[in-house]
Structure formats: C-alpha cells, structure tokens
Amino acid sequence: MIRFIVLELIVLFSIISCKNGTGKELSENKFVSFSVNENNFPIVKSQKGTPIYIDDKDYSGVIKVAELFQKDIEKVTGVTSPLHIGKNPQGTVIIIGTIGKSQLIDGLIKSGKLIVDDVKGKWDNSLIEVVENPLPNVDRALVIAGSDKRGTIYGMFDISRKMGVSPWYFWADVPVKKHSEVFIKAGRYNLGEPKVKYRGIFLNDEEPALGRWAVENYGGFNHQMYEHVFELILRLKGNFLWPAMWWASFNSDDPLNAQLADEFGIVMSTSHHEPLMRAHAEWKPYGGKAWNYKSNKSQLDAFWKEGIERMGNKESVVTLAMRGDGDEAMEEGTNIELLEDIVANQRKIIEEVTQKPANETPQVWALYKEVQEYYDKGMKVPDDVTLLFCDDNWGNVRVLPEPEAAERSGGYGMYYHFDYVGGPRNYKWLNTNSLPRVWEQLRLTYEHGVDRIWIVNVGDLKPMELPISFFFDYAWNPESVTVNELSEYTTNWASEQFSGKYAKEIAELLDLYTKYNRRRTPELLDNHTYSLIHYREFEKVVEDYNRLAQRAKSLYDIIDEDQKDAFYQLVYFPVTICANLNEMYLYVAKNKQYAKENRAATNLMADKVVELFKRDSLLTLEFHTELADGKWNHMMAQQHIGYTYWNHPDSNTMPQVTYLKVPEVGQLCIKIEGKDKIWTEHDSTANLSNFDNINQQKFYFELFNTGKRAIDYKVEAPEWLKISGIGNNLKEEDRHFVSVNWDQLPVGNSAGTISVSGNGQVIELGVIADKIDLNKKKLQGFIENNGVVSIEAADFNSSSTSQGFAWEVINGLGNTKGGVTSLPVNKGYQEFSKDNSHLEYTFTLLNKPKNDSITLFMCLAPTQDFKNKDGLKYAVSVDDEEPQIINLHEGCTGKDWNYAEWWCTAVSDNKLVRKSKHKLNNTETHTVKYWLIDPGIVLQKLMIDNGGLKPSYLGPPECKMYN
C-alpha cells in the first residue's frame, strides 16, 4: 500500500513537471543549474565530464543523438564527457536508454531503482531522474529514459536546450551559451506526453531559395541536408515531416533519406496531393502517362504499390485519395463515387503489401481546397483515417469538427500555412506570421478536438524561425501558453537565442515587424496600399517601421560579436529590408502624386525610389555573401517587388517612376492635409479641418514650388494660431503644422485666416476653432474628431457576461492595437437574447448627426465560417434601438480556393469589414453594444461615421477617451 501512495505522489509530481519547454517555461531552467550544490548531479564539474553510458542494443538513432548530446556538453563547457556504448557503468555516471530496448534501463526498472509506471507505454515521453546507488559499482546516476525512441531523444535534447544549446544553432547561427559547470538538480522530472500526436513541418515552395541553397551546399535534398532538418525537428520536440517536393523526391533522390529519418524517429509522410508515399516528382521518371484514375488505374495502382513496398516498416503516415496533376483539382465537380473507389483501392494496396489490416497503418485524408467539397457533400472514409482539415492558405482555419461530433479512431488534424504560393498573391519571402493570430487560430483548432496531426507549411524554413518554434512548442502543450503569456513567449524565445539583457527589446522588434508585415504582406504592398492623403497614414506606417529599423541597428551595434550573425538574420535584416520596402513605396506614391501636381520635388522622389530599390538588392547581397561567410547564399532570393498578378515576377522590378522637366520659374502652391487638391489663389474651399479644444488637433499645410527658382514667401496668421517651421524662402517644399493656443480664445466658434503670399500670389486658408465649455458639455467615452469616432476593440468601456462566457483581449492581433474574442471558443451558437454576453463602447458626438443617424463600421479578423454552415453571427446596437444581427459572412459567395473576390480582399487587407446604420437617442453621449452570438469571432476596431470618415487602409487613429 505504501508503494502505491509513493507512486501516486511521483505521478503527481510528474504531472506538475511536464509543462517544460513552452510558454513562460521556455527559458526557465527547471532542473538544469550552473552552480554547485551538494544535492545537484554534475554533468561537468571542475573541468571533468561525467561519463555517459548507453546500451549498444538501443536504437541506432538514440546512439547518434547521444553523440550529439556529448558534443553539446563540450560546446557549452569545453569539456568532453566520455561516451561508452555497450559497457558496464562505474562510479558517477549518466545512463541513457529506451524502456524495453535498453538492458541498462530495463535492469533499473526490474530492480525497483527506476519507477516508470507513468512513462512506460506513453507516446514521446521522457523521464529524467537522479538515482542514488542504481547499480553495483555505481554510486549515483543521472538517468534519461524514454518511453520510446523519441522520448529518449527528447530527454537528451531538453537538457541540451536548457544548458544553452539553441535548436537554431545551425539554422540561425545562434551561439552556444558557455558555462564552466553544469548540474542537474536532484529530483525526478517527467516531461509528459505531447497534446498533439504528430507535430511537423512541410518544406515547400522551395525555389529559388531553399532549393538553390541545398543544391549549392549538398548537391540537393539528400540525407546530408536532411540530417540538419531532422535534428532541428527533434530539438524542437517535433516528430513529423512532409519533405520538399517541387522537384525533389525524398525516397528516390537519396535512399538514405528515409533510412536516416527512421533512425532518428521522424515520422514521414507525403503532402496533401501525393498519395501512398510517392512524390509527385517521381511520376514522370516512372513513365507515368495520364494522372487520371478513370483511364489509367492500373499504372497508378502499380505506382502506389511500389511506394508502400518501399515504405516497409518505417514509421509513416500514408496520404490517401487523389488530386489532379500538379496539385490541381482532379476534375470539374465532385465525383464522390470515384474518389471513394480510389480510397478503397488504396487501402487494399496497403493491406496487400503490409499483410496487416489497413487500420493498423496510420493514414490521412487531406481536405485541401476543393477536396473539402467531397467531405461537405457526404463522402466518408473509414474511421481510422485521420481527417486533415486545412486553413485557407492564409492562416484562417476553414472548417473544424462540431464540438459534439463523434470521436474518430483516426482523429482530426490541421494543415496550416506560414507560407503560400497562390492567390491573391504569394507570400513566401519573409515572415509575415503574427503570433497572436497564429495562437488564436491554433487554439480554436485544439479546442475543437483537432489533435492527431498538426503540419505547417514553412516554405524555405529559414525566415520562419520564430513561428516554427512557437508552432512546435504550442503543439506540445496548447494549454501552456495563455493569451497573457504571448508577449512573454517572444521575450523568452529571444532570451534563448540572445543575451537576456536585450531579450525584451528584441522581442518587441520581432512582434512589431511581424505585425506590420501581416497588415499587408510585402508582396502585396504597393504605392496605393496606405493613404497619402488621410490621417498621414502612409507616412506614419513608414515612420513606425523606420523607428524599428533604427532600434535594430542600435542593438546590432552593441550586441556581442558572437551574436551578430544570429541577430542579423533573425532581427536586423527582416526589420531593415521591410522598412526599406515600405519607404520605397511611400516615395513611389509621392512621386506619382507630385508629378500630377507638377511639383519641383517630383524628381527627388523618383531618385529616392531608385536609391531604396538599389538598397533592397544590396541588403540581399549582404545576406547572401557576408552573413556567416556566405553560408546562407540564395536564402533571400525570393522575388518580392514587381508583382502584377498572384505569382512572382522573374526578377525584382523597380516600380515605374516619373521624371519631369522642371521649368526655371514656377508657381507657389498649397496642399492642405486631408484634401487631394492644390491651391494657387484664394478659394473659399481652402480650409483646414476643424480644430477643437478636446482633441487638440494639429493639421498641416504644405507649400510647394513648381519651378527651379526659389520663391520668397510670407505667412501671416492670428496670434491664437501656432504655426511651426515658418521660413521665408521656398526651394522645393515646406510643411507647416498648425495648432491653436486655446488660452487666447473665448468659448464657442472662432474663425481665422492664414495668409500666404509670395511670387505675386496671395492664398488664404480658412481656420475654424471650436472651444467647448468643459463645465457644461458632458463628455464620456470616446470623443468625436472631425466627424468620426474611432475605437480599438480592446478598449471597451464595460463588459457583461452570461451563460458561462467570458471576454478575452488578444493584444497585437490584427492591423492596429489588438482584438477581442469570447471564451470558450468551442461553445455552440447562442440564440440571441438581450441577456447574451456583450461589450459596451461609449462615445460622445460633438456635432449633431444628420437625421440622428450614424454609420457603424466593424473591423473583424478574416475568420472563416469554420462551422461550415450559414456564417458566423454577432449582434450590434446603439443606444436603445433593437439589436441588429449581423452575419460576418453575408455576401461571401464563392470559395476561397477559387479566389473569390470577398476572400481575396479579406486576406489581403487582413480584415473583414461590416457596415450597419443606426438611429441615435437625442443625447450627446451614446453606447454601442456588441453582442455575442457565435464564438470564434474576433473584433478588432469600430469606426463611427458622423459624416467625416475618410478612405484609408488602417482607419482613423483611435479617438481620445474621457472617463
């Protein structure tokens, strides 16, 4: 009885310890120490390495990783720990082995020295324990035992990671952190089982970057190249791979590929359109004729049979079904009978070759693009086949099982994307994956019971280091990273790669640049993306990015020399080159605008475009030739400038610019902020936007010259106006900001005129300033600014919850500040009632609305109708009106895989916008209520149009709020 109580306590302690490696635990040394303590077990102490013992009958992959573990210890400490294979341990030792495969480990279990009841038979489980007097002639041992091959490997690599060896030491040149001594704290540490069974990456879209790099360095995608990939996956506690396949064939290009994967415990599969372990690239060399099961069944069956024969007993997940040739639709419409026949015959092939029932070989059916229609229309596959749901290729989960859906023995999986080649435009150059949205969609996935396979398309692998790490960590235990730990995750990741001294600053750079890139992917950017006219939008976007670039440069200059290569590729390069790209498009926009206005500065804008375009190529060249002595040549070769349709151009092409023949003598012209018009003489429409003492606005007017010769000018204005930067000589352009000295004005409206004279011209600008009596005006919530109230969704004034729901703010999600969603995310549709959970946003209008009505624009994340019914719904009301039920997907006709216009707009803009009209109460203060109906919707921004909303990409900046 006592033994069972002890075992229960051990199991409880194991459960407590198993959150290692994700969330806030990522950088915590749970059991690794670098200081002497009499109870600590020494891995290296006083320049002496503790010998490592491993059974020679253990898996060859475990022995190979033990050799890597030995090298890791040496990298950290400079000391080599002797590695003994197949020998009897003596003294103080490290014992490594797999339960049921290692006689050393099994002997400890049999003698009662090692209790593994909570580990044995588990999936990918590791036990790390300091054991006293475990064997004759052994006084103390650190035991690393695995429930299976990968469990043993994970145990070793987990210690390596905590010692200071980043999983990215090869792929991102992250330096190993040095320590003279390393210890394991006395205790027992069960690392637990993963929540998601198969966790992997898909190397895809690999030209012209990863493919050319692999050819140059290894001769192709062979076992020498894949050894680095396998090691990375294992160090990140993954176990699954779809190999590169644009032109490569994993099995036939190099037979050692599959052998090495099996040794390391990497579960191999083939992509969504490559059935029965055959690469699509093998079909033509095989002599394949039509890729058509109706007309070429016998050849296809033979082709697939050879794939299963070649697979042998290697751990694999077999892809079923069929798409058309070259990852296209198989045929027009959905021929369910044909596809069911294909699957049935494929399973017969599996049974015939393996001599086992089909359900004993793991299989998957990928519901990718149009294949989902087969599922939607009722096609069934056997229960043991994993149904692999997919996102829309842009990180928005397309379909999920109902929470009450019957369990399948094969379970459900998710194929997700960090990279994509296809419409509305490729995104594959740099990381555009903002972790808050990735987290939100993967949590949605997990909470709907999708936990058998998670596979993510990572493109060339190289630019996706942070999201790949997050994907593996989160797949291991989605419950370990909460919404409040997202920013902490990035900080801990940065600390793992770099000095902890700069981790928070580096994390901010990583979080912000990926957020900015997701607003509009680099390939979609152009001179029309952001508004040059309204809200200073384009300029603010570029200013924000340039500030990031300056921060990155400052850090690069001071970071330790051995960290510079890693910092350059993980932080400095992507931040700098993306800032450069955004700035280039700003100057393209200015060049086109200036040319239209005949500005003398037009040619300067064109020259700036040329300079920035050239800088893009020089930064790329630097990455390829100077970074790590040219180790990463080709990795940034992906074209990203000059797209004209979904696919990339043959090479980066500079945007067209205009050069003008500027006359010697020109005109004095004025441009007013927010207006796409120029003035050269008095005109009653030449008015700045209105000022008020609540919003304390600043607006600019711009003087520009259309000739080469400078113009002398003078600006005159009332004393109550403050005008910045007034000069008296105009060469190309001068910008002057106008604000109001409110102490000099009485309550009420005041009108004034700014007079600009020069070149024989006089131009007058009208100004209206409204000084509101704050003692008489009731101000509450967000205050209207020139006809619009802009509110970030996270800044609700109050919330109400019911029926077990709660509201959750996700900082950083979306285009601006963040988003708000409801919990739990897997609860079903809520019939509307005024008792439903809701958020309230209070606002005050300064101007009486026309017909007492306003228009409300809601910006929401581009979430798909993952319930696959009639759209996700919410309700909205203003003041006391009856709530309107809004369907997020109303009008969303056409499928995403057919590049429907609504979907192209949503994923390009990174938002869905819904519009509704509302009647207001006869009060100055009003309230918007946002009501929950369908969980899973993420609200990002509200814009209340009282006649002043202007077109822009991000919308107006958030208005001031009064409590």
Side-chain angles (χ1 to χ4, degrees):
M1 186 70 178
I2 293 173
R3 183 180 181 281
F4 288 115
I5 293 172
V6 170
L7 179 59
E8 286 177 8
L9 288 171
I10 289 171
V11 171
L12 177 61
F13 180 64
S14 301
I15 293 170
I16 292 170
S17 302
C18 75
K19 287 176 64 179
N20 175 60
T22 54
K24 61 179 178 292
E25 291 82 16
L26 179 67
S27 63
E28 290 180 2
N29 289 308
K30 284 285 198 177
F31 47 79
V32 172
S33 173
F34 305 107
S35 57
V36 177
N37 179 296
E38 63 180 18
N39 292 321
N40 288 353
F41 181 93
I43 290 179
V44 171
K45 181 182 178 183
S46 302
Q47 290 295 301
K48 183 180 179 183
T50 300
I52 302 166
Y53 287 83
I54 189 166
D55 194 332
D56 58 0
K57 302 295 192 301
D58 212 323
Y59 294 105
S60 60
V62 170
I63 294 172
K64 284 186 176 182
V65 172
E67 293 168 351
L68 292 175
F69 180 58
Q70 179 193 34
K71 291 176 182 175
D72 288 347
I73 295 170
E74 185 176 2
K75 288 174 186 173
V76 171
T77 65
V79 175
T80 301
S81 294
L83 175 61
H84 302 289
I85 301 171
K87 295 183 179 180
N88 293 323
Q90 295 183 0
T92 298
V93 299
I94 299 170
I95 298 174
I96 298 170
T98 308
I99 297 169
K101 192 71 176 174
S102 165
Q103 292 181 4
L104 285 172
I105 297 298
D106 290 350
L108 292 175
I109 296 169
K110 188 174 181 180
S111 68
K113 292 291 185 177
L114 190 69
I115 297 172
V116 296
D117 302 55
D118 58 329
V119 179
K120 186 178 180 180
K122 303 291 186 182
W123 180 265
D124 291 0
N125 203 349
S126 311
L127 174 65
I128 297 170
E129 184 174 2
V130 176
V131 181
E132 306 293 336
N133 302 308
L135 294 168
N137 302 319
V138 177
D139 59 333
R140 203 173 192 214
L142 170 66
V143 178
I144 304 170
S147 62
D148 51 25
K149 181 191 303 182
R150 284 185 297 273
T152 311
I153 291 170
Y154 292 158
M156 289 184 274
F157 278 154
D158 198 75
I159 293 173
S160 292
R161 192 169 179 177
K162 288 178 168 54
M163 285 193 303
V165 181
S166 166
W168 296 99
Y169 81 92
F170 172 82
W171 285 101
D173 301 299
V174 175
V176 172
K177 294 178 180 176
K178 306 293 185 181
H179 300 280
S180 59
E181 297 183 322
V182 179
F183 303 89
I184 300 294
K185 297 175 184 177
R188 183 179 190 274
Y189 308 96
N190 180 344
L191 302 188
E193 288 186 285
K195 299 290 186 180
V196 177
K197 185 170 185 176
Y198 298 108
R199 309 164 306 283
I201 58 176
F202 178 20
L203 301 180
N204 192 218
D205 310 330
E206 58 269 22
E207 290 295 342
L210 181 64
R212 293 306 91 204
W213 177 83
V215 169
E216 182 174 286
N217 289 279
Y218 302 101
F221 288 105
N222 55 30
H223 73 282
Q224 295 166 306
M225 180 270 179
Y226 272 115
E227 186 167 8
H228 295 296
V229 176
F230 299 155
E231 183 184 338
L232 174 70
I233 291 172
L234 292 170
R235 286 183 183 272
L236 291 169
K237 296 171 82 169
N239 60 5
F240 190 66
L241 178 67
W242 283 356
M245 46 66 63
W246 264 23
W247 51 265
S249 168
F250 181 80
N251 289 288
S252 58
D253 286 351
D254 182 355
L256 293 179
N257 283 344
Q259 180 182 319
L260 189 63
D262 193 54
E263 274 193 282
F264 273 122
I266 301 296
V267 182
M268 293 305 303
S269 186
T270 46
S271 73
H272 56 279
H273 70 103
E274 298 177 299
L276 273 65
M277 306 304 292
R278 296 304 299 250
H280 186 74
E282 293 182 278
W283 180 239
K284 286 184 179 178
Y286 181 80
K289 297 176 183 177
W291 184 264
N292 186 311
Y293 203 71
K294 283 182 178 178
S295 64
N296 198 21
K297 176 182 182 300
S298 60
Q299 190 181 33
L300 283 164
D301 283 347
F303 179 67
W304 293 335
K305 182 179 179 182
E306 289 181 19
I308 300 302
E309 288 171 342
R310 185 175 59 192
M311 175 184 78
N313 294 320
K314 299 179 187 73
E315 199 172 2
S316 309
V317 176
V318 178
T319 299
L320 294 180
M322 186 179 184
R323 288 193 81 213
D325 198 4
D327 199 15
E328 298 292 338
M330 189 162 61
E331 59 179 36
E332 289 294 324
T334 48
N335 189 335
I336 290 176
E337 184 179 354
L338 173 62
L339 199 55
E340 286 181 335
D341 184 46
I342 291 170
V343 170
N345 287 339
Q346 288 171 338
R347 284 170 65 86
K348 286 178 185 175
I349 291 170
I350 292 169
E351 289 185 334
E352 178 186 333
V353 174
T354 64
Q355 294 295 297
K356 296 186 296 187
N359 62 11
E360 294 184 21
T361 299
Q363 298 150 63
V364 62
W365 180 34
L367 305 179
Y368 183 69
K369 288 192 174 181
E370 84 291 335
V371 178
Q372 185 188 307
E373 290 193 319
Y374 289 82
Y375 175 76
D376 293 344
K377 293 179 180 179
M379 177 173 162
K380 304 294 183 186
V381 293
D383 193 65
D384 61 278
V385 177
T386 301
L387 293 180
L388 188 69
F389 293 109
C390 304
D391 69 356
D392 62 356
N393 298 296
W394 281 75
N396 307 299
V397 172
R398 183 187 285 128
V399 176
L400 292 170
E402 293 283 351
E404 64 275 9
E407 288 190 10
R408 300 174 51 83
S409 61
Y412 301 98
M414 176 56 63
Y415 171 30
Y416 201 73
H417 284 75
F418 291 158
D419 160 288
Y420 180 53
V421 168
R425 191 159 291 178
N426 297 351
Y427 66 97
K428 52 183 293 196
W429 173 47
L430 284 172
N431 180 18
T432 62
N433 302 283
S434 177
L435 289 191
R437 178 61 169 172
V438 173
W439 173 86
E440 184 265 332
Q441 286 290 284
L442 291 181
R443 180 185 62 175
L444 191 70
T445 298
Y446 178 71
E447 293 295 336
H448 279 79
V450 178
D451 60 6
R452 183 60 54 90
I453 299 172
W454 281 14
I455 180 81
V456 60
N457 188 327
V458 299
D460 298 311
L461 186 151
K462 187 72 193 79
M464 306 298 175
E465 296 91 348
L466 174 58
I468 288 172
S469 290
F470 178 80
F471 184 85
F472 279 120
D473 285 334
Y474 195 67
W476 184 268
N477 184 7
E479 296 164 15
S480 72
V481 185
T482 68
V483 67
N484 295 322
E485 292 167 338
L486 274 171
S487 62
E488 190 178 353
Y489 178 90
T490 315
T491 301
N492 289 335
W493 189 84
S495 181
E496 185 179 36
Q497 317 314 320
F498 304 104
S499 167
K501 180 167 55 173
Y502 304 121
K504 188 170 180 58
E505 172 75 357
I506 291 170
E508 287 180 5
L509 294 173
L510 291 169
D511 285 340
L512 284 173
Y513 107 75
T514 50
K515 177 186 178 67
Y516 295 166
N517 267 2
R518 196 59 180 185
R519 284 173 174 171
R520 190 80 170 180
T521 59
E523 292 87 344
L524 275 164
L525 275 175
D526 61 27
N527 53 293
H528 301 294
T529 300
Y530 300 110
S531 177
L532 198 61
I533 306 299
H534 303 298
Y535 311 121
R536 294 176 223 147
E537 184 179 59
F538 217 145
E539 294 177 352
K540 287 180 179 178
V541 165
V542 170
E543 286 168 6
D544 288 345
Y545 233 134
N546 283 341
R547 271 194 293 271
L548 281 193
Q550 184 54 54
R551 289 167 65 184
K553 177 64 167 64
S554 297
L555 266 181
Y556 181 81
D557 289 342
I558 61 173
I559 205 163
D560 290 347
E561 195 64 33
D562 68 337
Q563 297 179 12
K564 285 190 184 297
D565 279 350
F567 185 82
Y568 183 94
Q569 58 200 279
L570 294 175
V571 185
Y572 177 81
F573 176 82
V575 169
T576 302
I577 201 165
C578 288
N580 186 80
L581 186 71
N582 279 264
E583 187 174 11
M584 183 191 74
Y585 283 120
L586 169 63
Y587 281 104
V588 174
K590 286 193 169 189
N591 172 256
K592 293 184 182 300
Q593 183 74 26
Y594 284 18
K596 188 172 72 172
E597 297 166 350
N598 291 311
R599 294 200 192 199
T602 300
N603 298 345
L604 295 177
M605 301 301 105
D607 289 344
K608 192 68 176 173
V609 173
V610 173
E611 174 193 327
L612 293 166
F613 179 77
K614 182 179 179 181
R615 185 172 185 237
D616 180 277
S617 65
L618 292 174
L619 285 166
T620 303
L621 182 66
E622 185 177 61
F623 192 105
H624 288 162
T625 61
E626 296 183 33
L627 169 64
D629 296 323
K631 176 181 177 180
W632 300 114
N633 190 29
H634 302 294
M635 273 296 189
M636 287 297 117
Q638 179 58 52
Q639 301 91 331
H640 51 276
I641 303 173
Y643 276 77
T644 56
Y645 71 120
W646 69 264
N647 206 1
H648 60 74
D650 292 335
S651 61
N652 287 335
T653 305
M654 194 188 84
Q656 289 186 342
V657 293
T658 300
Y659 281 91
L660 297 180
K661 187 175 181 180
V662 180
E664 186 67 27
V665 178
Q667 279 189 306
L668 170 65
C669 303
I670 290 186
K671 187 82 177 278
I672 296 173
E673 179 178 355
K675 299 188 178 181
D676 192 13
K677 183 178 178 180
I678 59 173
W679 285 269
T680 58
E681 58 187 16
H682 176 67
D683 184 326
S684 61
T685 63
N687 300 308
L688 273 70
S689 298
N690 290 355
F691 296 82
D692 66 73
N693 58 321
I694 297 173
N695 289 293
Q696 301 273 327
Q697 299 95 334
K698 284 186 177 181
F699 298 114
Y700 70 79
F701 64 90
E702 212 164 48
L703 307 181
F704 67 87
N705 192 346
T706 62
K708 293 179 182 178
R709 185 181 299 171
I711 297 173
D712 292 331
Y713 72 95
K714 183 169 64 173
V715 177
E716 297 175 288
E719 289 185 0
W720 52 270
L721 285 178
K722 296 182 283 188
I723 303 177
S724 70
I726 294 180
N728 57 17
N729 187 261
L730 177 64
K731 293 182 179 178
E732 281 97 15
E733 58 186 21
D734 286 339
R735 179 178 288 189
H736 305 293
F737 280 91
V738 180
S739 58
V740 176
N741 187 340
W742 294 101
D743 292 339
Q744 296 186 22
L745 287 181
V747 170
N749 278 338
S750 297
T753 301
I754 299 172
S755 177
V756 181
S757 58
N759 202 40
Q761 303 166 247
V762 178
I763 309 168
E764 293 184 342
L765 308 179
V767 177
I768 294 177
D770 183 12
K771 186 172 181 178
I772 298 165
D773 188 341
L774 300 181
N775 294 317
K776 295 182 179 179
K777 183 82 172 179
K778 181 184 178 184
L779 298 174
Q780 191 173 352
F782 293 89
I783 311 301
E784 176 188 2
N785 188 345
N786 274 284
V788 66
V789 183
S790 179
I791 307 172
E792 294 292 337
D795 293 332
F796 49 87
N797 297 96
S798 64
S799 64
S800 171
T801 57
S802 64
Q803 301 168 308
F805 280 98
W807 293 104
E808 179 179 68
V809 173
I810 308 174
N811 290 320
L813 188 150
N815 291 343
T816 48
K817 184 174 182 177
V820 181
T821 192
S822 59
L823 294 177
V825 295
N826 59 357
K827 209 166 181 180
Y829 172 88
Q830 306 298 298
E831 194 69 38
F832 178 74
S833 157
K834 290 187 178 180
D835 292 328
N836 282 16
S837 299
H838 64 271
L839 300 173
E840 296 189 5
Y841 298 88
T842 303
F843 66 97
T844 299
L845 295 182
L846 302 182
N847 302 289
K848 183 173 174 58
K850 185 178 181 180
N851 299 322
D852 294 323
S853 297
I854 53 93
T855 302
L856 174 63
F857 293 87
M858 309 280 270
C859 299
L860 305 108
T863 303
Q864 287 263 14
D865 178 16
F866 59 86
K867 296 183 179 180
N868 203 21
K869 291 187 176 177
D870 59 348
L872 303 179
K873 300 180 180 69
Y874 63 91
V876 65
S877 64
V878 179
D879 295 341
D880 299 324
E881 69 173 357
E882 197 63 26
Q884 301 178 36
I885 295 177
I886 308 293
N887 188 333
L888 181 62
H889 300 100
E890 184 176 355
C892 295
T893 56
K895 302 294 187 180
D896 57 87
W897 57 81
N898 291 327
Y899 303 152
E901 184 178 356
W902 72 267
W903 175 80
C904 288
T905 300
V907 296
S908 297
D909 295 351
N910 197 33
K911 65 188 176 190
L912 278 165
V913 180
R914 291 295 169 255
K915 173 182 172 181
S916 53
K917 292 187 177 294
H918 301 270
K919 196 83 170 175
L920 303 184
N921 288 350
N922 189 25
T923 57
E924 292 177 338
T925 300
H926 309 275
T927 301
V928 174
K929 291 183 181 179
Y930 167 75
W931 308 79
L932 168 67
I933 296 180
D934 272 308
I937 294 175
V938 184
L939 177 63
Q940 297 179 174
K941 189 180 183 90
L942 300 83
M943 297 179 293
I944 299 157
D945 184 10
N946 190 23
L949 183 63
K950 302 295 189 291
S952 66
Y953 189 81
L954 300 174
E958 186 172 39
C959 290
K960 285 190 174 182
M961 185 176 76
Y962 274 68
N963 292 320

